[in-house]
Amino acid sequence: MSAGAPRGAGGEVRDPGGLRASFAGLTTRGRSFLAAGAAAAVCAYVLGQGQLLRVGLLLVVLPLICVLALHRTRYRVTSSRRLTPARVPAGGEARVQLRLENVSRMPTGLLMLQDRVPYVLGPRPRFVLDRVEPGGRREVSYRVRSDLRGRYPLGPLQLRLTDPFGLVELTRSFSTYDTLTVVPHTQPLPPVRMTGEANGYGDGTRRSLALAGDDDVIPRTYRRGDDLRRVHWRSTARYGELMVRREETPQRSKATVLLDTRALAYEGAGPDSSFEWAVSAAASAVLHVLEQGFSVRLLTDTGDSVPGEGAGGFSSGGQESAEAAGLMMDTLAVVGHSEGSGLTRAFEAVRGAGAGLGSGGDGLLIAFFGDLDDVQTEMAARMRQRSAGAVAFLLDSATWAGTPSRVEQRLRGLRDAGWTALAVPPGAAFAELWRQAGNAPLGTGTSGGRA
């Protein structure tokens, strides 16, 4: 391994090359020494001054010796990076811990560490390690923070070697890097009762027998602790042993969170824009309905759904719900504007599921719309036919810009179709709008409240 070339844990080393690359590592001081030495040597030759010639040769040879010494130095070091947590909300902080270990039999010289991070996470962290003994370890840490959602690479870690005179500086890079996911900021929502939730035990669940009718129940052998009221006497007499009815199975209600991402439906950019408000609110709604026991899917105007597995693309229960929540939050972390002009694909996805929203019209549809024209308002109104309950939050660009808008007309069209529709003014608190949506009768809505 060439001078100071570190080995990334589980990755290959990025070594820029041989001696020529080492000469390219001369600092400004090193190049100045070479220039001054060459000038002194020329002057000594012209003036015939032997003492000046020795000074010139010294100035030229010293940087060259430093280059050769660093080039032939054999450091074997490994590094690891720990990111806690790997997924943070916008505005939250994550801690990055770096560990450097000297696995060679020789101590290292002066080492400078620099981790590459995107500018939105802050300045690049730099650390200086004076000396690492053989087998020694050094740990350093720093914090990153971003107000913008997204996925940001951290690394690779760069290791800089320098000589005691500061004439040469060589940079080696590890090959591994990590990814920090900044998800949208979410708000805790009040537990309100939405139309479309099924009755039964627990929130968002109901019980149903596997087969209908007393004669069609599939019995099983009695187990200790079973309720005697569930004994199936006909099967008991038939098989000669105590049999009980099959356990009731929980059936989870379903909810679809629809996010309109059309570029023409929103204006402005940045953390305070209407689109970022819609993304944050959709993330809050996703987490809330998952906590309430729903099977959830995230749908966009392009017709793409997350998690996309299972019947109709909905999440399942138990641990799979946590995994689905992670997938949906990761999707919302990087979701951007689509080039679509309508909601046709989203309408087809809702209609094709509805089958997916539950047989018999069981299911909850939560939609976040941008600007809607007459055609798209009618399209959105028809989505209500496949759901037992539908709540729409309408973000009108004219309302956010403070200019006259036709949002009330759009709301009236949605309400006439059975939606609980609410307009979102600038700076509105989604938790308060959610409470209003839960308290509003079906097919009504309010204009929302300000934060």
Side-chain angles (χ1 to χ4, degrees), residues 8 49 150 181 199 213 258 309 340 342 351 354 363 366 382 391 394 446:
Q49 298 291 329
T181 302
N199 298 322
L258 172 61
E309 299 179 357
R351 182 178 60 181
I366 307 170
R382 292 169 59 191
V391 183
L394 189 58
T446 65

Side-chain angles (χ1 to χ4, degrees), residues 15-94:
D15 194 342
L19 189 59
R20 179 177 297 180
S22 298
F23 275 103
L26 285 169
T27 63
T28 302
R29 181 183 299 178
R31 297 177 187 275
S32 300
F33 267 56
L34 287 177
V42 171
C43 293
Y45 177 77
V46 172
L47 301 176
Q49 298 291 329
Q51 297 295 333
L52 183 60
L53 179 60
R54 296 189 185 95
V55 174
L57 292 178
L58 176 62
L59 294 177
V60 171
V61 171
L62 184 59
L64 301 180
I65 294 177
C66 292
V67 168
L68 294 176
L70 281 184
H71 178 72
R72 295 181 60 85
T73 300
R74 304 288 178 173
Y75 290 155
R76 295 181 61 212
V77 294
T78 61
S79 74
S80 62
R81 182 188 293 103
R82 180 183 301 173
L83 183 60
T84 310
R87 184 187 290 119
V88 296
E93 285 189 349

Side-chain angles (χ1 to χ4, degrees), residues 88-380:
V88 296
E93 285 189 349
R95 183 170 181 265
V96 183
Q97 185 174 1
L98 301 174
R99 172 182 290 184
L100 193 72
E101 181 178 1
N102 183 12
V103 296
S104 68
R105 298 180 179 180
M106 297 178 55
T108 67
L110 184 65
L111 302 178
M112 291 185 292
L113 302 181
Q114 175 178 282
D115 208 9
R116 299 185 62 181
V117 298
Y119 71 94
V120 296
L121 299 182
R124 290 186 176 183
R126 294 180 174 89
F127 307 93
V128 178
L129 303 180
D130 187 14
R131 179 180 180 274
V132 182
E133 65 279 4
R137 297 179 181 179
R138 297 291 186 271
E139 291 187 359
V140 294
S141 63
Y142 63 94
R143 295 184 178 274
V144 291
R145 180 182 181 274
S146 175
D147 293 328
L148 301 177
R149 57 184 177 85
R151 291 173 62 88
Y152 302 103
L154 298 178
L157 179 65
Q158 293 181 334
L159 182 63
R160 293 185 178 182
L161 308 177
T162 184
D163 64 286
F165 304 101
L167 302 179
V168 184
E169 185 178 280
L170 301 182
T171 301
R172 300 291 183 263
S173 296
F174 293 86
S175 60
T176 57
Y177 66 93
D178 293 282
T179 301
L180 173 67
T181 302
V182 181
V183 300
H185 176 72
T186 58
Q187 303 178 28
L189 303 181
V192 298
R193 190 76 177 179
M194 292 289 185
T195 303
E197 297 186 26
N199 298 322
Y201 66 96
D203 293 331
T205 59
R206 69 164 181 260
R207 291 185 295 180
S208 63
L209 290 175
L211 297 175
D214 184 74
D215 294 335
D216 295 332
V217 173
I218 300 177
R220 62 170 176 82
T221 305
Y222 173 83
R223 300 171 185 169
R224 186 174 181 179
D226 286 337
D227 191 349
L228 293 178
R229 291 175 296 182
R230 292 173 43 223
V231 173
H232 194 257
W233 297 108
R234 182 175 301 179
S235 299
T236 299
R238 178 179 179 182
Y239 293 104
E241 58 179 330
L242 200 59
M243 307 291 290
V244 296
R245 292 181 176 88
R246 185 178 180 181
E247 295 179 352
E248 294 178 335
T249 57
Q251 183 175 354
R252 298 162 61 88
S253 293
K254 298 177 181 178
T256 294
V257 178
L258 172 61
L259 176 62
D260 182 8
T261 63
R262 295 172 298 143
L264 53 81
Y266 301 93
E267 293 183 3
D272 297 329
S273 64
S274 58
F275 180 69
E276 292 300 324
W277 190 100
V279 173
S280 177
S284 301
V286 164
L287 294 182
H288 178 74
V289 292
L290 279 173
E291 292 174 355
Q292 297 301 314
F294 281 77
S295 293
V296 185
R297 69 168 178 169
L298 174 65
L299 184 67
T300 65
D301 59 288
T302 61
D304 299 328
S305 63
V306 181
E309 299 179 357
F314 291 88
S315 63
S316 302
Q319 184 178 359
E320 296 182 5
S321 290
E323 296 176 356
L327 288 174
M328 286 184 275
M329 295 302 290
D330 289 345
T331 300
L332 290 173
V334 297
V335 68
H337 289 297
S338 68
E339 299 299 329
S341 59
L343 302 173
T344 304
R345 293 183 179 179
F347 172 75
E348 293 175 351
V350 172
R351 182 178 60 181
L357 284 171
S359 59
D362 175 36
L364 178 63
L365 177 59
I366 307 170
F368 299 89
F369 294 119
D371 292 337
L372 298 176
D373 55 21
D374 294 337
V375 176
Q376 305 311 320
T377 301
E378 181 181 358
M379 183 75 66

